Amino acid sequence: MSSNSNNQVYPVLWREQSPATPLQGHVLLIDQTRLPNEYTVVEINRYEDMARAIETMIVRGAPAIGVAAAYGVYLGARDIQTSDRSEFLAQLEPVAERLRATRPTAVNLFWAIDRMVKTARQTLGSVDHLKQTLLDTAKAINADDIQTCHQIGDHGLKALPTNPKKLRVLTHCNAGALATAGYGTALGVVRSAWRDGRLERVYADETRPRLQGAKLTAWECVQEGIPVTVITDNMAAHCMQRGMIDAVVVGADRIAANGDAANKIGTYSVALVAKAHNIPFFVAAPLSTIDFAIADGSEIPIEERNPSEIYTVGETILCPAGAEFYNPAFDVTPAALISAIITEYGAIAPAQLREQLADKQAG
Ligand code: MRU
């Protein structure tokens, strides 16, 4: 389900049982915890299983968990056994709450769940009609995200430096097809540059502690034949100092109204080093990642994950008993370090976000 002949990767897919039973079917997720060694697809039929898949990072990446949560709301709605509309809406609330509680930082999750709940409230007619509308909405969120990523790729290509002709681009974490509904945000820009003959190579930070760069970004690049060099996170400064990097492109999990951008832990240090070396630093993200309700990055909730992600590698324990750990999954890059934010509406200076995009999101 994940790759077609064009090597396209779709981490979240709706699989209909048969056209005669449109409400039946299930979601297929690529199990991202097993890549790159094992390519496994997980079938999700219940909203609780979708919530667990998001928590355990079987599906991860801001836009991808938004799409997954939208299908999760539908799966929960499908199991509600009432024909009374008010009762249906009341029973949908705990479904939405459970999905909202899975991960705190990526705002796309809340954006997608809110859109599903709002659609349910605004749809008139029978409960069966409501369920069908919710499935259609989840499918639309899914399809729109793929289109959005292609637009981000196109705009990113125009925003990249024109010198040298073939660029060496550093990225952090995975903001690729696996982190979205397909194509990717930061890696969408990279893909577009590759297809346009503007890319020499990707440098992928390994991205401790979950290794999304080493495992997922490198896997996507290899699948597509894009030259990729994996470096450990502490090598980025050295590579920039040696003149090996022409631009940095990363994704985002939540962007505040002033342009401060939360992304995978370690992004902030990459931005600081890029600034020190006068290397442009781009954040690529859809409009659904921008949270106009918060003024700046200090208000972005930062997820803290289990310390075992730090002190174990596979079965091996790395650290002595008695040591303590701090494991924030994200950090905030201040707007001042960001050259432009690349959205489906173009490359925009962080300070211009509200002026250029707030009405688009409201509408
Ligand atoms: O914890 P994850 O893997 O869900 O975090 C995802 C990221 O932070 C990615 O870097 C990404 O840029 C945001 S999603 C396109």
Side-chain angles (χ1 to χ4, degrees), residues 13-16 24-27 71 74-75 78 135 139:
L13 268 190
W14 174 254
R15 172 71 52 82
E16 192 171 272
Q24 297 311 314
H26 50 254
V27 182
Y71 283 122
Y74 167 68
L75 293 174
R78 184 173 70 182
L135 177 57
K139 286 182 185 172

Side-chain angles (χ1 to χ4, degrees), residues 31-36 53-60 103 173-174 205-216 233 264-265 303 305-306 308-310 312 327-329:
D31 186 345
Q32 301 191 36
T33 64
R34 291 178 180 271
L35 285 171
I54 296 171
E55 281 166 347
T56 57
M57 294 173 70
I58 285 173
V59 59
R60 36 67 52 203
R103 295 194 71 189
C173 194
N174 172 264
D205 280 350
E206 68 168 347
T207 318
R208 280 275 291 157
R210 294 288 298 223
L211 305 178
Q212 290 95 329
K215 293 182 172 181
L216 306 178
D233 298 338
K264 181 54 54 194
I265 191 75
E303 176 180 11
R305 294 189 64 85
N306 194 305
S308 64
E309 292 181 348
I310 296 181
T312 53
N327 187 18

Side-chain angles (χ1 to χ4, degrees), residues 47-48 50-56 65 69 73 93-106 109-110 113-114 254 303-305:
Y47 83 91
E48 178 56 33
M50 185 63 89
R52 280 203 220 105
I54 296 171
E55 281 166 347
T56 57
I65 64 175
V73 172
E93 276 308 321
V95 171
E97 271 321 296
R98 172 70 184 100
L99 289 160
R100 279 191 190 105
T102 50
R103 295 194 71 189
T105 303
L109 179 87
F110 305 95
I113 296 168
D114 289 350
R254 190 184 299 226
E303 176 180 11
E304 267 188 58
R305 294 189 64 85

Side-chain angles (χ1 to χ4, degrees), residues 1 11-15 26-30 41-44:
M1 48 85 45
V12 187
L13 268 190
W14 174 254
R15 172 71 52 82
H26 50 254
V27 182
L28 296 174
L29 300 177
I30 297 176
V41 172
V42 180
E43 185 181 310
I44 305 285

